[in-house]
Amino acid sequence: MSGSPDLPWKVRLFVSSLSFLVDVCRRSNGTFNRTLINLLDVKASPLKKPLNGLQSSDIVVDDSRNLWFRLYTPLQIPTHSRVPVIVYFHGGGFVLMSADSKTHDDFCQRLSRELPAVIVSVNYRLAPENRCPSAFEDGFDVLKFIDSAWFKDLLPVNADLKKCFVAGDSAGGNMAHQVAVKAAKHEFDQLDVVGIMALQPFLGGKERIESEIRLVGAPLINLDRTDWMWKAFLPEGSDRDHPAVNVSGPNSVDISDLKFPATMVVVAGFDPLQDWQKRYYQWLKKQGKEAKLIEYPDAIHGFYIFPELKESSLLIKDMRDFMQSKL
Ligand SMILES: *[C@@H]1O[C@H](CO)[C@@H](O)[C@H](O)[C@H]1NC(C)=O
Ligand SMILES: *[C@@H]1O[C@H](CO)[C@@H](O)[C@H](O)[C@H]1NC(C)=O
Ligand SMILES: *[C@@H]1O[C@H](CO)[C@@H](O)[C@H](O)[C@H]1NC(C)=O
């Protein structure tokens, strides 16, 4: 079987243009042409004034490494209810996209309104200019930053840092895991990470796994591209059994003794990465951690950025259910 479901033409066009551009921009010498990718990766400003019950603004954490986040605050929350905070990491193979990419800005707006939740969408450093572990350090630094006392002044009074989730899609799903591992070893003043939402986390290994081989021709993800991304991201001289890639593999960090939050792992039937993601889920269980696997058989990698796909709405409902089970 080769792999793509029926997709609306707009989705198909966006996905194939993005795949094409990524292939043109990634050079064989390991550098990436950022000028060219910005033709498709359109950027969006924060909201100038509240829109449909939502406000957003950009907050700088460290100018010297361009570390900042976009804060989304839902406005129409009954004063007696507490709103969870989600620290969110965008996808893009650790190489492309940013917190102000229109695709992810739109998605975070939807999440913030529809869940509802306060969202902290992190603009972390990208490869190949900044290799692993820069992105993970940036993610964890944002967690420490929002734990600081003065950050509370930026939050609505009913935002609840004791109900903090880390989440992300694709490379951001991998980051959510890595940042949660760091968080589980740290004492925060106010913040508590109560759950992880890994949406189609970008994981891998040296081995070729069944779904990667079977789903040749699937939208967005193929071995050529993922091999290139890992090479751009990993420290020079590492292979794909590095713990940042083969998270549950032979070099994995042992989390069995950590107080590790519950994880929701989302997989899609047309995503070549799905078998890695299922392995990750099994490994979490083996380590004695609470984990929930959510499968959408007809979905592709990156489906959530297309509100016209039905799984995109299902996902928001499943995220809401998972969060409510942890509140
Ligand atoms: C890689 O190739 C691009 C385009 O061919 C070139 O502009 C760039 O200087 C090269 N970079 C390195 C590090 O070799
Ligand atoms: C990126 O690609 C564009 C279009 O092909 C080209 O004009 C530009 O010179 C490239 N930039 C670099 C830095 O190689
Ligand atoms: C990656 O991790 C898996 C365990 O999830 C392990 O079976 C495998 O040997 C590792 N290495 C490769 C080469 O995939």
Side-chain angles (χ1 to χ4, degrees):
M1 180 176 87
S2 82
S4 183
D6 277 341
L7 293 168
W9 70 268
K10 270 192 188 162
V11 174
R12 193 168 287 280
L13 181 66
F14 184 86
V15 159
S16 53
S17 315
L18 184 60
S19 305
F20 173 78
L21 265 187
V22 166
D23 289 346
V24 175
C25 293
R26 60 185 175 97
R27 305 186 183 109
S28 52
N29 68 7
T31 62
F32 196 73
N33 185 336
R34 299 209 175 276
T35 322
L36 195 53
I37 198 75
N38 286 344
L39 291 178
L40 202 67
D41 179 14
V42 179
K43 307 296 180 185
S45 310
L47 296 170
K48 286 194 185 62
K49 50 182 199 274
L51 178 70
N52 301 333
L54 188 80
Q55 194 173 301
S56 70
S57 58
D58 290 348
I59 294 171
V60 175
V61 177
D62 179 0
D63 237 343
S64 71
R65 55 179 151 152
N66 194 27
L67 178 59
W68 55 270
F69 57 84
R70 183 159 293 177
L71 177 67
Y72 300 84
T73 327
L75 301 172
Q76 285 148 355
I77 302 293
T79 41
H80 60 271
S81 64
R82 310 286 290 158
V83 191
V85 176
I86 302 178
V87 177
Y88 191 86
F89 305 110
H90 68 81
F94 294 111
V95 169
L96 56 149
M97 302 291 183
S98 52
D100 56 355
S101 289
K102 185 157 184 345
T103 45
H104 284 82
D105 182 64
D106 286 348
F107 182 55
C108 285
Q109 286 197 30
R110 273 185 80 197
L111 288 180
S112 186
R113 280 192 196 101
E114 294 178 29
L115 285 172
V118 169
I119 313 254
V120 169
S121 171
V122 180
N123 198 67
Y124 54 89
R125 282 172 293 173
L126 298 175
E129 293 84 350
N130 297 281
R131 288 169 183 270
C132 170
S134 322
F136 303 156
E137 287 166 0
D138 290 353
F140 183 53
D141 287 345
V142 166
L143 232 56
K144 287 193 285 189
F145 181 89
I146 66 171
D147 186 46
S148 63
W150 74 267
F151 179 68
K152 260 206 118 75
D153 298 340
L154 292 173
L155 290 175
V157 283
N158 48 3
D160 192 353
L161 281 172
K162 292 267 173 243
K163 300 279 181 269
C164 180
F165 293 81
V166 290
D169 63 280
S170 198
N174 180 324
M175 277 189 71
H177 170 79
Q178 310 282 355
V179 170
V181 172
K182 285 178 189 282
K185 298 175 178 167
H186 184 81
E187 286 287 329
F188 291 100
D189 288 337
Q190 336 196 34
L191 179 152
D192 253 330
V193 178
V194 296
I196 302 169
M197 293 181 280
L199 317 179
Q200 307 185 296
F202 183 29
L203 304 169
K206 261 197 322 207
E207 181 192 334
R208 298 304 190 194
I209 211 164
E210 199 272 333
S211 57
E212 284 177 322
I213 298 166
R214 176 170 50 93
L215 289 166
V216 172
L220 283 177
I221 303 284
N222 66 32
L223 284 171
D224 239 23
R225 264 174 229 136
T226 54
D227 285 359
W228 190 94
M229 299 287 171
W230 289 126
K231 197 153 180 259
F233 174 65
L234 286 172
E236 306 266 5
S238 314
D239 66 29
R240 289 192 307 273
D241 274 334
H242 189 282
V245 189
N246 201 351
V247 168
S248 48
N251 307 320
S252 66
V253 179
D254 180 13
I255 61 164
S256 55
D257 288 338
L258 290 180
K259 193 177 154 278
F260 199 72
T263 307
M264 158 176 165
V265 183
V266 173
V267 307
F270 286 93
D271 185 351
L273 300 172
Q274 65 188 292
D275 287 354
W276 287 113
Q277 295 155 353
K278 288 180 188 163
R279 234 186 229 194
Y280 166 60
Y281 160 78
Q282 297 296 351
W283 172 79
L284 287 169
K285 307 268 277 191
K286 255 193 246 144
Q287 297 264 315
K289 307 304 164 194
E290 189 184 334
K292 184 174 185 186
L293 184 70
I294 297 190
E295 293 192 69
Y296 305 122
D298 297 328
I300 60 168
H301 192 82
F303 68 90
Y304 37 79
I305 61 170
F306 304 106
E308 57 269 57
L309 300 180
K310 69 175 189 304
E311 289 86 357
S312 182
S313 305
L314 277 177
L315 172 69
I316 294 182
K317 183 194 167 295
D318 285 331
M319 288 174 79
R320 189 187 301 124
D321 289 349
F322 175 76
M323 290 170 71
Q324 265 159 11
S325 75
K326 300 290 132 218
L327 298 182

